[in-house]
Amino acid sequence: MIGVCLKYMMRNYGSQLQARATIKVFEDMRLDYEILEYKKKGLMFKIKALPRLLDPTVRDNIRLARQKSKAMNAIPGVGERNKLFDDYSKKHFSAKTVCIDYYSQLKEYAKKYDAVITCSDQLWSPSGLGTGFYNLMFVPDEVLKISFASSFGVNQIPKGQRKKTKEYLERIEYISMRENQGAEIVKELTGREVPVLMDPVFVYTMEEWKEIVPEEKVYEFPYILCYFLGDNEDYRKRVEEFAKKQEMKIVAINFCNSFIEYDKHFGDVVPYDVNPDRFLNLVRNATYVCTDSFHGAAFSIINEKRFAIFNRYPNNSVVSKNSRIDSLCTNLALRKVRANGSSNLENVLLCDIDYVDVKNRLNIYVNNAKEYLKTVFKGRA
């Protein structure tokens, strides 16, 4: 039996589709698994969590949570969309999930497993260090510990967390990272050379994703899909300029991660009845995609779209998570799809992308991921 630490409950398209790809990988390998959900109850957890309030990433997450709450109160459709996320979680993950309230219970429960695996997305963000969950500190020494395309989500570990980060990394027998920078951090802290694997959504091809999520026509007209999680107005203005020149409509998925006044009037069509499957079909049917989302870019690549990827954070931001975009574009030779607030989007969206080359590069990472998982789960499937 394998224990899986997977963050599927986020109301986020990338998180839920990535989680779905991850468990499909395990199912395809015929692994017997459970998803662990740690509820983090108890006074001791709250006391231990207090120092996290000093972390800039935690404070930024609190700010975003307040913005999401503001958006839900101001925009009725956001509540409808949140319910769709929750329903999606129940449908695809709840049956295999075990909920545990207290850390002491979590440590005891983990003894039943042959191995525990921590999965992709930004589960090793410095903001989550104190929970001891996604970094597998709760797992007994005798139980195999594995990471699958893990991500720190930052370019460097804060000085005050380096010792504890090194401690949990050294306990994990098999480590693989999603970003180049993440592998460099592991080497710097532990001296270990670890593989860089692509996000689990890339394990499946365009055609295989159609088997996972059936293809469906959403709109009959050609459109530019906009999926911005950040609050940069200039990005939206550049899209509007491009749309006007191309005489195309903008389909905008607004208020997903932040509240921005500009989004009250941004987009010709602004749907809220969009669950993760419908989101994927919006990408599939788009003529162009403009996004600052890692998974927005990932599914644009999988579906061989013309797209532009913007940085969600300023490069000098202490909470920047741009390294995942850097790795994605570097590893797949897609630097020309990068855009910023002063970009002429015609130069980005109208350029040809050599998807034969992209797929060849991608296949190397996908094959490495499959071989890595076969190695770490040898004899357990």
Side-chain angles (χ1 to χ4, degrees):
M1 172 72 80
I2 308 300
V4 179
C5 296
L6 181 69
K7 202 168 189 175
Y8 68 82
M9 67 293 296
M10 298 290 289
R11 290 166 172 171
N12 177 282
Y13 296 112
S15 294
Q16 293 197 346
L17 288 169
Q18 176 269 132
R20 195 164 174 195
T22 300
I23 62 170
K24 179 167 173 53
V25 170
F26 299 151
E27 288 167 357
D28 288 348
M29 294 180 69
R30 298 186 179 180
L31 290 169
D32 187 15
Y33 73 93
E34 289 179 341
I35 301 170
L36 286 168
E37 184 178 348
Y38 173 32
K39 292 292 190 178
K40 307 180 186 72
K41 291 183 179 179
L43 180 61
M44 280 306 297
F45 174 79
K46 294 177 181 178
I47 293 172
K48 287 170 65 177
L50 286 175
R52 297 174 64 225
L53 296 176
L54 301 175
D55 187 290
T57 306
V58 173
R59 293 200 301 271
D60 189 58
N61 289 341
I62 293 171
R63 177 186 65 83
L64 288 173
R66 287 172 177 165
Q67 287 197 4
K68 287 181 182 179
S69 178
K70 182 179 179 181
M72 193 163 71
N73 291 330
I75 312 295
V78 173
E80 175 189 354
R81 184 170 60 204
N82 286 345
K83 185 179 184 305
L84 292 175
F85 279 127
D86 296 342
D87 290 345
Y88 197 84
S89 291
K90 290 175 184 176
K91 179 179 179 180
H92 293 289
F93 309 110
S94 291
K96 297 290 287 186
T97 297
V98 175
C99 297
I100 299 177
D101 292 335
Y102 299 97
Y103 196 72
S104 58
Q105 295 172 346
L106 189 65
K107 290 171 68 176
E108 186 64 27
Y109 195 83
K111 293 177 181 178
K112 67 176 282 188
Y113 295 121
D114 299 305
V116 179
I117 185 166
T118 181
C119 298
S120 193
D121 229 346
Q122 303 161 67
L123 304 188
W124 284 355
S125 168
S127 64
L129 178 66
T131 69
F133 182 58
Y134 292 115
N135 57 23
L136 307 187
M137 287 299 287
F138 70 94
V139 182
D141 291 341
E142 64 272 16
V143 176
L144 184 67
K145 294 164 285 295
I146 303 162
S147 91
F148 178 27
S150 295
S151 173
F152 295 108
V154 294
N155 289 321
Q156 58 184 3
I157 302 300
K159 188 175 180 180
Q161 293 192 4
R162 291 169 67 84
K163 182 179 178 181
K164 286 190 175 180
T165 301
K166 180 176 185 291
E167 180 184 346
Y168 78 70
L169 290 173
E170 289 181 335
R171 293 187 74 245
I172 299 174
E173 288 87 348
Y174 290 98
I175 295 177
S176 60
M177 301 303 298
R178 191 178 70 178
E179 285 92 39
N180 302 338
Q181 186 62 33
E184 291 174 13
I185 289 172
V186 174
K187 184 178 181 181
E188 179 187 356
L189 293 180
T190 69
R192 294 167 66 177
E193 297 272 2
V194 299
V196 176
L197 308 178
M198 299 299 280
D199 187 280
V201 299
F202 287 110
V203 171
Y204 298 103
T205 64
M206 184 196 316
E207 294 306 314
E208 288 169 333
W209 267 107
K210 288 178 183 177
E211 295 177 9
I212 300 168
V213 177
E215 191 170 19
E216 180 183 303
K217 191 78 171 176
V218 184
Y219 300 115
E220 295 299 327
F221 54 85
Y223 60 88
I224 304 164
L225 177 65
C226 278
Y227 177 48
F228 288 126
L229 299 177
D231 57 5
N232 192 307
E233 286 187 16
D234 288 336
Y235 297 172
R236 288 140 169 97
K237 291 175 181 176
R238 299 295 81 78
V239 177
E240 288 172 331
E241 291 169 359
F242 178 78
K244 186 175 181 180
K245 289 179 181 178
Q246 298 297 312
E247 298 182 342
M248 293 183 70
K249 289 184 178 181
I250 297 170
V251 174
I253 305 176
N254 292 339
F255 304 111
C256 278
N257 201 59
S258 58
F259 181 84
I260 172 173
E261 287 287 338
Y262 200 90
D263 279 355
K264 287 183 176 180
H265 310 287
F266 177 65
D268 300 293
V269 179
V270 184
Y272 289 96
D273 58 337
V274 180
N275 70 4
D277 289 356
R278 192 170 177 84
F279 168 81
L280 179 50
N281 276 309
L282 282 170
V283 175
R284 285 170 173 159
N285 287 283
T287 305
Y288 305 102
V289 178
C290 294
T291 187
D292 60 3
S293 154
F294 173 87
H295 285 104
F299 282 105
S300 296
I301 293 166
I302 290 168
N303 289 283
E304 300 184 7
K305 297 280 120 181
R306 292 192 176 193
F307 73 102
I309 178 71
F310 298 77
N311 279 344
R312 194 187 315 174
Y313 305 88
N315 287 325
N316 60 353
S317 169
V318 295
V319 297
S320 173
K321 299 169 185 174
N322 294 334
S323 63
R324 53 196 174 153
I325 300 297
D326 296 335
S327 286
L328 182 67
C329 292
T330 297
N331 295 342
L332 299 182
L334 283 170
R335 295 181 186 87
K336 62 184 177 182
V337 302
R338 301 295 291 269
N340 57 50
S342 60
S343 293
N344 180 345
L345 284 187
E346 288 183 86
N347 296 333
V348 180
L349 292 172
L350 298 182
C351 72
D352 290 325
I353 298 174
D354 184 354
Y355 273 112
V356 172
D357 179 64
V358 170
K359 283 201 287 189
N360 288 337
R361 292 172 182 270
L362 189 55
N363 284 339
I364 295 171
Y365 288 96
V366 171
N367 290 334
N368 287 345
K370 291 178 178 178
E371 287 303 313
Y372 173 82
L373 291 172
K374 284 179 185 176
T375 298
V376 301
F377 286 125
K378 188 176 181 180
R380 291 177 173 82

